[in-house]
Amino acid sequence: MLMRNIRSRNWLRCPVFILGVILVTVAEARTPGSVLFRPSRVTVIALSPTGHWLAIAGYFHLHQQERLALINLRQTGHETMLHLVRHSKIAHLHWTYSGMLLVSTRLKLAGYHTPFPSGEIWAVRVHNAHIRPAHLLAGFRKHRLEFNFSFNRILASRTRYPSRIEVERYSFADPAPLAESVNLHTGFIRAPIHSPLTNGQLLTNRAGRVKLAFGANALSGQLELWYRIGHSLRWKNLSGLLHRDGPASQARPIGFLPSDHRFYLLRTSRYGTLGLYAVNPSTLSETRLYASRKHDILKTFATPSGQIYAVWSGITHPHYTFLAPQSKEVQWIQLLSPIFRHQTVRILSVTARQKLVLVRVQGGRNPGDYYLFNPGTHTLRYLMSASPSIEPPTLSRLHAYRITWRQWKEPLYVAFPHGRPRDRGGIIIWIHDHPFVDGIQKSFDPRIQDLTSHGFVVVEVDYPGSFGSGAAWRRAGYQHWSGIMLQGIWAAARWAESRHWAPPGRLALVGTGYGGYAAMTLAALHPRKVQAVASLNGYYNLQLLRTRLDRLWRTPAGRRFLNRVLGSQHLRTRSPVALAHRIRAHVLLIQGGRDQEAPSNDLHTVVTALRRNKTPVMTLIEPTQGHRFTGYSARTHIWHTIVNFLKRAFHRDAHARGAVRVN
């Protein structure tokens, strides 16, 4: 299909070579849920500077730990499997010009809902066709009478010394970031540099010197930005550049320009959106590189020299905006994009002499395909798929819409199942978590594809308060958890029902975190319209949520942010615990036993209130899961339970209405 598609376009009249890299997998029954939630075959991938080796982290055997594969691209069939540390996941892969592969891991500890962004650093020496055993460069260290967990992150793999790398380390005993220079061969540490912030991160320039510190002040909670002067230990405060930004603005520095005299800064523009600026730390002068009137910057893309050549923005129609049209990367993307329609082409790695380019193609129905592109001969070489068991033609495409209510234009996505409309099971309103931080994105989502494969129409709504459409849209939800945010979700539900995409009277609300809160509250406010509710780790008592967050953010700025976003008045009366007596829909509540954001005490309270009023309710508790459900078996079981619950709820409701009409 790929060969026919490219030849039909007569793409530069160049041949296309397709070569699959063979890795062993285990056969499995091809049920929709088991296929969609299968561990990804490729999680991290990197091409060596010489183009000789390809490093791949992924799950090559079902139900096993993540492994590292080193593939010799010049000798097909020569693969080496490495298993580093148990209970760890590979976060980043860095190739050095000396032929050494640096592997950064992140640790999954009990009680935490997400893995730590840093863990241990391993070094694997690859010389021609020989691979030496991996050795630990940075990781757990023993301090006097106890073991102290230390987490490490590579700041720069290319420094002024070829045999050294810059590593950022912080620990439970000393949470202040510390930058160290580590010898690749001996692991010897020298020249530590302390951060001026207790919480935050360090950044280096292109030469590998630590120059920036960014984070939130532990006492005030305000965002701070510091610049290191010259080769000294003195720091200059640049926090005045962030006076418009708050904790949920996603403002941050993202690296230096190739000249090392200025650095890139994401911060709020005069339009209220997240814009990109180039800042001179010596004169504090800044140049606006890009700022949209309507959309925030979602991602940035940089060349190996550090120059940002493109930004990614947009909700209903996400797209590239090229900042350096003359760069090679922009020309390659413009050359490849017409081939893969309705998909995104992204450059992952480039060899030192730009003879090979590692490319990923991804879309709403495609979890990811990897290619090698040769700019000299204009040829593509197919490598592998991130999930080879998934067949994109059998999946559903995401359709973008914008609906108008009041003065707002609300974006949303709709995924339709295959088959006739009269055979569809119903309409599912999917509500995302974390208002003011998250938003909907047009990417592959196994949860939505699993629901559409069982005949449901899925509507994913970007309600007011979501990130991506600027500060005005985000701030509209402040102190309106039960107001304008719910009204936006309900406007999407009424619009979807008016389109007659499914039999009438089959509306369900499904969400995680805040989405679970919104689903339960809307079911109470509209008891005759909602037939089923599925809440995953939902917030059922805003008053207790406020108390838990207040304990975490014991700073003046943190409490001001809570007052601005959540408020402090009438929290319990706006919670599902107080409104449970009005719910008539079938309810499914799923809870992680180690969830720290929505503890199980709230679940027991709302279940008691629902059963007191004889509301049909089911519960599912996953004792080993946190706020985000991870793991192949857990996710498959959870979504299998949700699908069966929705089918039974719609069937019972339709049967009950039919019985009433007969009588």
Side-chain angles (χ1 to χ4, degrees):
M1 183 65 185
L2 177 62
M3 180 79 72
R4 184 169 61 253
N5 185 19
I6 295 178
R7 286 182 175 176
S8 64
R9 295 177 178 274
N10 194 21
W11 182 61
L12 298 181
R13 299 180 180 178
C14 293
V16 177
F17 300 99
I18 302 177
L19 175 62
V21 178
I22 302 175
L23 295 174
V24 179
T25 57
V26 179
E28 183 190 2
R30 296 181 60 82
T31 60
S34 63
V35 171
L36 291 170
F37 295 106
R38 175 183 290 180
S40 180
R41 189 179 185 179
V42 178
T43 56
V44 189
I45 187 171
L47 181 65
S48 65
T50 60
H52 191 169
W53 291 90
L54 188 69
I56 305 173
Y59 297 87
F60 308 117
H61 298 270
L62 195 62
H63 306 306
Q64 290 190 8
Q65 295 291 330
E66 187 180 38
R67 291 177 179 266
L68 174 66
L70 291 173
I71 299 175
N72 191 330
L73 295 177
R74 298 179 183 177
Q75 298 180 11
T76 306
H78 289 72
E79 297 96 17
T80 302
M81 290 285 184
L82 300 177
H83 183 49
L84 299 180
V85 185
R86 188 174 176 86
H87 302 304
S88 67
K89 294 182 178 295
I90 296 175
H92 299 285
L93 298 174
H94 303 265
W95 282 98
T96 65
Y97 284 109
S98 60
M100 182 173 291
L101 175 65
L102 304 178
V103 184
S104 300
T105 66
R106 59 183 187 268
L107 302 181
K108 182 69 171 68
L109 301 180
Y112 293 89
H113 63 277
T114 55
F116 283 92
S118 54
E120 300 175 340
I121 299 175
W122 292 78
V124 182
R125 176 170 290 279
V126 181
H127 182 68
N128 294 332
H130 303 286
I131 300 176
R132 297 183 180 179
H135 64 277
L136 181 65
L137 284 180
F140 295 118
R141 301 180 182 177
K142 189 174 182 180
H143 292 260
R144 295 183 181 179
L145 300 179
E146 62 179 357
F147 284 96
N148 179 36
F149 288 99
S150 62
F151 304 98
N152 306 271
R153 182 173 67 93
I154 296 178
L155 291 175
S157 58
R158 301 172 184 175
T159 65
R160 59 188 181 276
Y161 301 107
S163 60
R164 297 181 189 175
I165 61 172
E166 292 292 328
V167 174
E168 180 185 15
R169 180 176 65 87
Y170 66 94
S171 62
F172 290 159
D174 184 14
L178 176 68
E180 299 172 331
S181 181
V182 180
N183 190 297
L184 293 175
H185 305 287
T186 63
F188 181 73
I189 299 174
R190 57 176 299 174
I193 298 176
H194 293 268
S195 170
L197 296 171
T198 303
N199 301 313
Q201 61 177 345
L202 299 172
L203 289 91
T204 63
N205 59 8
R206 302 305 304 171
R209 296 188 178 95
V210 176
K211 301 297 289 186
L212 291 177
F214 171 76
N217 187 288
L219 297 178
S220 65
Q222 298 285 358
L223 293 179
E224 291 190 4
L225 177 63
W226 294 77
Y227 174 74
R228 183 180 167 215
I229 302 175
H231 299 279
S232 66
L233 298 180
R234 294 183 300 159
W235 293 84
K236 181 180 179 180
N237 193 345
L238 306 181
S239 304
L241 299 172
L242 304 174
H243 66 279
R244 295 183 182 178
D245 302 280
S249 63
Q250 299 197 14
R252 62 193 183 277
I254 53 175
F256 279 77
L257 277 75
S259 62
D260 271 349
H261 297 301
R262 295 186 296 171
F263 64 90
Y264 292 107
L265 178 65
L266 286 174
R267 70 167 182 82
T268 303
S269 66
R270 64 186 181 92
Y271 306 120
T273 58
L274 194 66
L276 179 65
Y277 294 80
V279 179
N280 188 326
S282 300
T283 62
L284 293 185
S285 61
E286 58 182 8
T287 304
R288 188 181 68 189
L289 302 178
Y290 176 80
S292 171
R293 294 178 179 269
K294 297 181 179 180
H295 303 294
D296 298 309
I297 294 177
L298 302 178
K299 295 180 180 179
T300 60
F301 304 91
T303 64
S305 64
Q307 181 187 17
I308 293 181
Y309 62 85
V311 296
W312 185 259
S313 61
I315 300 299
T316 54
H317 299 287
H319 59 277
Y320 281 110
T321 299
F322 298 116
L323 306 182
Q326 302 303 322
S327 66
K328 293 291 185 179
E329 288 77 6
V330 172
Q331 298 176 14
W332 298 336
I333 292 176
Q334 292 176 339
L335 202 62
L336 296 174
S337 294
I339 303 174
F340 305 99
R341 297 186 58 187
H342 306 294
Q343 299 186 82
T344 305
V345 178
R346 293 182 180 175
I347 297 173
L348 301 182
S349 301
V350 182
T351 58
R353 298 182 180 180
Q354 297 185 349
K355 291 186 176 181
L356 284 179
V357 181
L358 180 62
V359 176
R360 182 182 67 185
V361 179
Q362 192 175 25
R365 299 193 299 174
N366 182 10
D369 290 328
Y370 296 90
Y371 298 85
L372 280 179
F373 171 62
N374 190 324
T377 59
H378 288 178
T379 55
L380 278 176
R381 176 181 174 186
Y382 175 77
L383 291 176
M384 65 181 64
S385 172
S387 299
S389 58
I390 296 178
E391 298 178 357
T394 63
L395 303 181
S396 301
R397 191 183 303 277
L398 295 178
H399 300 267
Y401 295 90
R402 278 190 180 272
I403 64 174
T404 303
W405 59 280
R406 293 188 181 179
Q407 76 274 22
W408 304 105
K409 290 185 177 180
E410 185 176 59
L412 51 86
Y413 290 131
V414 182
F416 299 97
H418 299 290
R420 297 174 298 180
R422 65 181 182 182
D423 297 332
R424 295 171 180 172
I427 298 177
I428 312 298
I429 307 298
W430 173 252
I431 313 169
H432 68 79
D433 192 8
H434 294 303
F436 322 116
V437 178
D438 290 345
I440 61 174
Q441 295 188 19
K442 198 171 185 179
S443 59
F444 177 78
D445 192 335
R447 301 169 298 182
I448 293 178
Q449 297 294 345
D450 189 27
L451 292 173
T452 56
S453 66
H454 288 88
F456 297 107
V457 178
V458 183
V459 180
E460 187 178 11
V461 56
D462 200 48
Y463 52 82
S466 303
F467 176 80
S469 299
W473 182 254
R474 186 167 62 251
R475 293 170 182 170
Y478 285 1
Q479 295 190 13
H480 288 280
W481 283 45
S482 60
I484 191 173
M485 296 168 67
L486 294 183
Q487 295 170 14
I489 298 171
W490 190 245
R494 289 189 293 106
W495 175 84
E497 280 198 316
S498 67
R499 310 288 289 188
H500 304 291
W501 285 330
R506 295 186 180 183
L507 177 64
L509 306 176
V510 182
T512 304
Y514 172 80
Y517 161 83
M520 293 287 288
T521 306
L522 286 174
L525 297 178
H526 307 278
R528 297 184 179 181
K529 298 291 185 179
V530 180
Q531 283 70 45
V533 172
S535 172
L536 293 81
N537 288 331
Y539 307 130
Y540 308 120
N541 191 337
L542 295 184
Q543 188 174 9
L544 294 180
L545 176 65
R546 166 63 190 249
T547 302
R548 289 193 296 271
L549 293 179
D550 193 46
R551 292 175 181 173
L552 294 176
W553 294 356
R554 293 181 179 178
T555 61
R559 289 174 178 172
R560 286 197 301 269
F561 179 70
L562 281 180
N563 290 331
R564 186 195 314 170
V565 172
L566 186 58
S568 58
Q569 303 295 327
H570 312 292
L571 294 181
R572 181 172 176 82
T573 58
R574 301 172 182 173
S575 302
V577 172
L579 302 174
H581 64 281
R582 302 182 56 181
I583 298 178
R584 295 293 178 266
H586 300 269
V587 178
L588 171 63
L589 303 178
I590 302 176
Q591 186 76 26
R594 295 178 178 175
D595 187 4
Q596 298 177 341
E597 298 185 25
S600 57
N601 295 337
D602 297 355
L603 175 69
H604 299 323
T605 305
V606 74
V607 168
T608 302
L610 290 172
R611 289 176 176 171
R612 186 185 301 118
N613 293 278
K614 299 182 180 180
T615 301
V617 56
M618 294 175 54
T619 60
L620 174 63
I621 298 179
E622 291 286 343
T624 62
Q625 296 294 316
H627 191 69
R628 296 184 184 271
F629 298 108
T630 60
Y632 170 74
S633 58
R635 298 182 69 189
T636 303
H637 176 59
I638 287 171
W639 285 96
H640 180 74
T641 303
I642 291 176
V643 169
N644 289 338
F645 162 77
L646 294 174
K647 289 182 177 180
R648 290 195 301 267
F650 287 147
H651 176 74
R652 292 172 182 172
D653 191 75
H655 180 73
R657 290 198 305 270
V660 171
R661 287 196 296 268
V662 171
N663 292 335

